[in-house]
Amino acid sequence: MGTGNDWSLRFVGAAGTENKQWEGRGGVPGIKLTALHHLFDARAVAVVGASQDVSTIPGKPLIRLRQHGYAGRVTAVNPRYEALGDVDCVPSVHDLPDGTEVALIMLRADRIAQAIVDCGQKGIATAVVVSSGFEVDDVPGRKLNTDLRRAIEESGVRVVGPNCEGVWNIPNRMLLTFGSAADRETLHEGPVSVISQSGSLGAAVMRELQDREVGCRFFVSSGNEIDVTMMDLCEFMIDEGGSAVIAMFIEGLRDGWRLRQIAAKARVADVDLIVLRSGQSKEGRLATQSHTGRVASASAVYRDVLRDAGILEVVTLGEFVDATQLAAQRSRGLRRPVRRGPESGVGIVAVSGGSRALLVDSASRRGVPLAVFGHNTEKGLMGLLPDFAYARNPVDVTGAVVSSPQFFEDVLKVVAGDDRVEALIVQYANGGHHQIVQHAGLLRSITETFAKPVVVGLLAGHAVTGSELGVESIVVTRDPEESVRTMEWLYRLGDARVPTTFSDRPSLARAVVPVTWSERVHLIDAAGIESPPWRLVGSVAELDAALSQLRAPWVIKASPEYAEHKTEMNLVHLRLSTRHEAVDAMHMIQRTIGDGVHVLIQEMVIGGQEMLVAARSDPDMGPVLALGFGGVLTEWVNDITFLCLPTTAADVEAALRRLRSWPLLEGFRGAAPLDIEALVTASVGFGALFVQNYQGAELEINPLVVLERGRGVRALDVLAMPGT
């Protein structure tokens, strides 16, 4: 993948018509760019398998095109009709008029492959396949899938779907869909685009956004993504330039390794990316598998990769719509908080004393920082507030706001003017529905004068919108929890930084993994990671020689070619300090794995913190690095974070800081700080080695002991196995 946003556009004449050919020097190949351009700017479309029975799926797309005033040419394909209403109907794809750019195909699954071949022969660039029956777990389904892939490859036609609900292009009034969500009188045009691997869920989101009068641009139900993927669509929409928000419902990404670079493009283009995903639980993953023939990757990998990419992930359908609407409002003037320092954060001005506690509790739970007011701010508030009021954050203005509007304005200006206040929550009491209308001009003035976002909270009931107040630059919420949630989202939308490293297409070659301990030590040496001094011994004489060369205490354990997970099998013996203990340990291991078999003796590392560093090829995201709490309690503690490879020292340190065990590295309860710099360096080197030589395998150092600052790290055990 390229790293720029540079696309060249050329025009090529074909079959007597003008074709726009996009040549991409980036993530989406040029041929896909061509097809996606045709898809979103089609001047002539065909509905293959159209029917006159409007109660059926094949009978609905022509209605949707008519009712929304699509200005391009529409032709139906069905040998049973000469016309369907005022739409011409031809018997086959070969009979379509020249210049047809997109075909919506609604045929039986066993006829789709031939229809794609026919489209290619006719010069149709893109097909949207509604039909289902592909990628299911049976022999006929796999054959249909194979046949369709072969047809795509041979024809050069780019395919959206199969098993999808179609495509909306609201600016062009081209709604190639059968879905009921498009059956509406009014379409609100605007900067929001939606991509969904579930057609019904994506259409429900579009219906709700349209009901809320949130302006939308594109909707694509990507279905099984046998060809055109969500990442292709997202990257195209960013480069196309008309979308300020792209909301995606994800079940699984076949090319998730592209996510970081696409998110970086979005950041540069000031496009907000919102994600809701399924398959976060074991049961959810099974449901996903039964629906799409695909199992989502581990939830934790998605969670961390999305967060690192600066993509706002939400967890419910309601949040998905709310967050998308919020991001759309940001494109119309709502600001993001700008982080200013360790004591900076949100300033709260509350009319309701009880709501102050709810706001603080919610902010703590959601990780939203609260500002520590400066001395001048506190002094200014004490000069304004009644003696019994609270002049620190959160501010309690009491009921005096009702009798003195000027007093309320003065308090807001003092708080908003504090350099540590990055954003403002104004929490009303029961009279808020009336007071907010009176204060609309004041609130607009506050956000414009101080260039900070303002979220206004009510106490339950219907919340008027900023647009209803004529103030697009503020958000009005129904309760304190929603206010803090909104502020959390604004912070997360603004927190992303453009990464400096990107993943290449993952290697599909199966790596040869090291088997013996000597080979594994050579592996970690190549990554710049030390192991404690060691020897392999198979007899008492060899053990005696090793004991004379290695400092006590010792560790004796099975060599990895005989057992990977040794603790559970009693194949690890620690803190050995005498020859007698060492001989007994060696003989106990040999009785389990074989008389005379060589065992590993190491100098025991004393002190430090055991961590885990691992690398594997994720089926969706490509090469990933796992960092976390290590040792025998790794699974029980379950404190692990993931990031894409290749990576940088800054990314690794940021990931480590997310861990609950991070304080142990800094020096917990008076303990000496540990060598975090060495841990970061080792992790980057290990990840680079994996990317260069071991993709397709799984490598793990556990434990990797982090010693006191300046003493480095030591790899005590190395796991290596072929990938699955």
Side-chain angles (χ1 to χ4, degrees):
M1 291 178 63
T3 58
N5 205 14
D6 51 341
W7 306 107
S8 61
L9 181 67
R10 67 184 174 92
F11 296 88
V12 181
T17 64
E18 179 190 57
N19 281 332
K20 294 180 180 178
Q21 170 83 24
W22 289 59
E23 292 186 319
R25 296 193 299 275
V28 185
I31 191 169
K32 280 192 179 181
L33 282 171
T34 305
L36 292 177
H37 166 76
H38 283 291
L39 174 64
F40 289 110
D41 195 25
R43 294 161 293 186
V45 301
V47 180
V48 181
S51 170
Q52 68 178 2
D53 186 351
V54 297
S55 67
T56 65
I57 286 177
K60 295 185 184 300
L62 294 179
I63 295 175
R64 302 290 177 258
L65 288 166
R66 287 193 199 101
Q67 76 183 108
H68 294 300
Y70 174 60
R73 186 182 66 219
V74 181
T75 310
V77 178
N78 193 320
R80 292 183 294 173
Y81 312 113
E82 293 185 357
L84 288 170
D86 58 355
V87 176
D88 291 338
C89 192
V90 298
S92 74
V93 169
H94 292 291
D95 299 309
L96 284 167
D98 290 341
T100 302
E101 297 173 279
V102 177
L104 178 69
I105 302 179
M106 299 175 296
L107 302 172
R108 288 197 324 263
D110 60 353
R111 297 177 59 193
I112 297 298
Q114 184 59 52
I116 297 300
V117 171
D118 294 345
C119 286
Q121 293 172 350
K122 189 61 183 176
I124 297 172
T126 311
V128 179
V129 179
V130 169
S131 313
S132 59
F134 300 85
E135 292 194 352
V136 294
D137 192 21
D138 56 37
V139 173
R142 288 196 294 272
K143 183 180 185 305
L144 289 170
N145 187 49
T146 300
D147 291 346
L148 180 53
R149 289 185 184 277
R150 184 181 299 114
I152 292 169
E153 182 178 350
E154 292 175 357
S155 68
V157 176
R158 301 273 63 92
V159 171
V160 176
N163 189 28
C164 76
E165 198 165 304
V167 175
W168 298 21
N169 182 338
I170 292 181
N172 285 359
R173 295 299 192 258
M174 185 196 77
L175 277 71
L176 283 173
T177 181
F178 60 87
S180 60
D183 186 10
R184 56 192 313 114
E185 293 183 2
T186 303
L187 291 175
H188 299 281
E189 181 180 342
V192 174
S193 291
V194 176
I195 312 168
S196 177
Q197 291 171 331
S198 163
S200 59
L201 190 144
V205 170
M206 288 296 291
R207 182 192 66 240
E208 182 66 18
L209 291 172
Q210 288 291 294
D211 287 348
R212 297 186 187 188
E213 299 185 2
V214 176
C216 299
R217 185 168 182 81
F218 302 134
F219 165 50
V220 182
S221 165
S222 60
N224 288 7
E225 298 185 5
I226 197 169
D227 180 34
V228 174
T229 70
M230 178 174 282
M231 293 292 93
D232 294 332
L233 293 162
C234 183
E235 187 167 10
F236 179 87
M237 289 175 184
I238 294 167
D239 288 321
E240 184 266 343
S243 301
V245 184
I246 301 174
M248 296 176 281
F249 174 72
I250 298 175
E251 293 171 338
L253 296 175
R254 288 194 176 93
D255 51 353
W257 55 274
R258 297 169 55 191
L259 187 64
R260 273 199 303 175
Q261 182 168 359
I262 290 171
K265 276 191 170 188
R267 183 66 171 161
V268 172
D270 198 25
V271 176
D272 288 330
L273 302 182
I274 317 289
V275 161
L276 173 67
R277 60 187 171 93
S278 64
Q280 298 188 41
S281 64
K282 179 181 178 181
E283 293 77 11
R285 288 196 295 275
L286 292 174
T288 299
Q289 184 179 28
S290 65
H291 180 59
T292 66
R294 196 168 57 233
V295 178
S297 287
S299 179
V301 176
Y302 266 90
R303 176 200 65 207
D304 293 339
V305 170
L306 289 169
R307 176 170 46 195
D308 283 343
I311 297 172
L312 174 59
E313 182 181 9
V314 296
V315 296
T316 70
L317 182 59
E319 286 189 345
F320 192 42
V321 176
D322 289 346
T324 301
Q325 182 177 10
L326 177 69
Q329 188 172 346
R330 195 192 66 77
S331 72
R332 299 193 301 271
L334 177 65
R335 299 178 183 274
R336 289 172 169 149
V338 177
R339 293 195 181 272
R340 299 171 185 268
E343 294 188 324
S344 63
V346 178
I348 297 174
V349 176
V351 176
S352 163
S355 65
R356 291 167 58 244
L358 293 177
L359 288 163
V360 171
D361 290 345
S362 182
S364 175
R365 186 170 58 252
R366 290 183 174 272
V368 174
L370 297 184
V372 178
F373 289 161
H375 173 73
N376 290 338
T377 301
E378 290 189 4
K379 182 178 178 181
L381 289 172
M382 286 188 289
L384 292 169
L385 296 171
D387 292 341
F388 55 85
Y390 190 71
R392 295 184 179 179
N393 196 20
V395 179
D396 180 5
V397 296
T398 74
V401 64
V402 177
S403 58
S404 178
Q406 184 61 47
F407 155 74
F408 185 57
E409 177 178 346
D410 292 342
V411 170
L412 287 182
K413 288 181 176 179
V414 169
V415 174
D418 192 314
D419 288 341
R420 297 177 181 177
V421 172
E422 301 164 340
L424 197 63
I425 291 178
V426 181
Q427 178 63 52
Y428 285 93
N430 288 321
H433 289 82
H434 304 292
Q435 291 165 342
I436 190 175
V437 175
Q438 299 169 4
H439 295 156
L442 168 61
L443 295 168
R444 180 195 301 112
S445 173
I446 292 293
T447 189
E448 291 174 354
T449 301
F450 297 98
K452 298 173 182 179
V454 175
V455 173
V456 178
L458 303 175
L459 290 182
H462 171 70
V464 295
T465 65
S467 58
E468 287 173 323
L469 293 171
V471 187
E472 293 283 3
S473 55
I474 67 170
V475 180
V476 183
T477 66
R478 290 163 292 192
D479 59 54
E481 174 69 19
E482 189 176 330
S483 294
V484 177
R485 185 191 71 175
T486 298
M487 201 60 77
E488 177 196 4
W489 289 347
L490 288 175
Y491 269 107
R492 288 167 59 188
L493 287 168
D495 270 352
R497 63 184 184 85
V498 178
T500 57
T501 60
F502 300 106
S503 302
D504 292 322
R505 184 181 297 275
S507 170
L508 299 179
R510 196 172 180 85
V512 177
V513 299
V515 176
T516 68
W517 178 252
S518 298
E519 292 170 341
R520 296 185 187 190
V521 169
H522 178 71
L523 182 154
I524 60 174
D525 282 345
I529 302 171
E530 292 185 44
S531 63
W534 58 275
R535 297 289 186 275
L536 287 171
V537 298
S539 65
V540 172
E542 291 175 344
L543 177 61
D544 285 335
L547 295 178
S548 67
Q549 297 168 341
L550 301 175
R551 291 180 301 179
W554 307 292
V555 176
I556 294 182
K557 55 190 173 183
S559 188
E561 60 262 43
Y562 303 112
E564 293 285 11
H565 300 285
K566 297 173 273 292
T567 301
E568 295 85 347
M569 301 172 63
N570 199 30
L571 297 178
V572 178
H573 298 265
L574 307 174
R575 300 179 182 84
L576 307 174
S577 56
T578 69
R579 177 181 182 276
H580 176 73
E581 291 174 336
V583 171
D584 279 354
M586 181 183 72
H587 285 159
M588 289 176 64
I589 294 172
Q590 289 177 329
R591 282 195 293 271
T592 301
I593 62 176
D595 291 338
V597 169
H598 280 75
V599 300
L600 176 65
I601 179 171
Q602 295 172 307
E603 290 184 5
M604 186 169 177
V605 176
I606 305 298
Q609 173 60 43
E610 293 185 342
M611 300 294 289
L612 170 144
V613 178
R616 69 182 182 93
S617 293
D618 184 86
D620 288 16
M621 295 295 179
V624 296
L625 187 71
L627 305 168
F629 185 91
V632 295
L633 299 179
T634 294
E635 288 103 359
W636 183 72
V637 174
N638 193 26
D639 183 23
I640 296 183
T641 188
F642 299 87
L643 62 163
C644 284
L645 292 171
T647 189
T648 64
D651 291 334
V652 167
E653 182 170 341
L656 290 170
R657 288 179 179 273
R658 291 198 294 261
L659 296 171
R660 299 192 309 276
S661 48
W662 170 256
L664 300 176
L665 299 174
E666 289 188 300
F668 186 64
R669 288 196 171 183
L674 303 182
D675 204 333
I676 296 172
E677 183 178 351
L679 173 60
V680 169
T681 301
S683 301
V684 173
F686 187 69
L689 180 72
F690 177 83
V691 170
Q692 293 166 8
N693 300 304
Y694 293 101
Q695 289 191 52
E698 185 169 344
L699 306 179
E700 178 184 302
I701 304 176
N702 185 22
L704 178 70
V705 175
V706 186
L707 299 172
E708 291 183 6
R709 185 177 295 164
R711 294 184 57 202
V713 298
R714 300 291 185 275
L716 305 191
D717 209 349
V718 183
L719 177 76
M721 59 179 132
T724 55

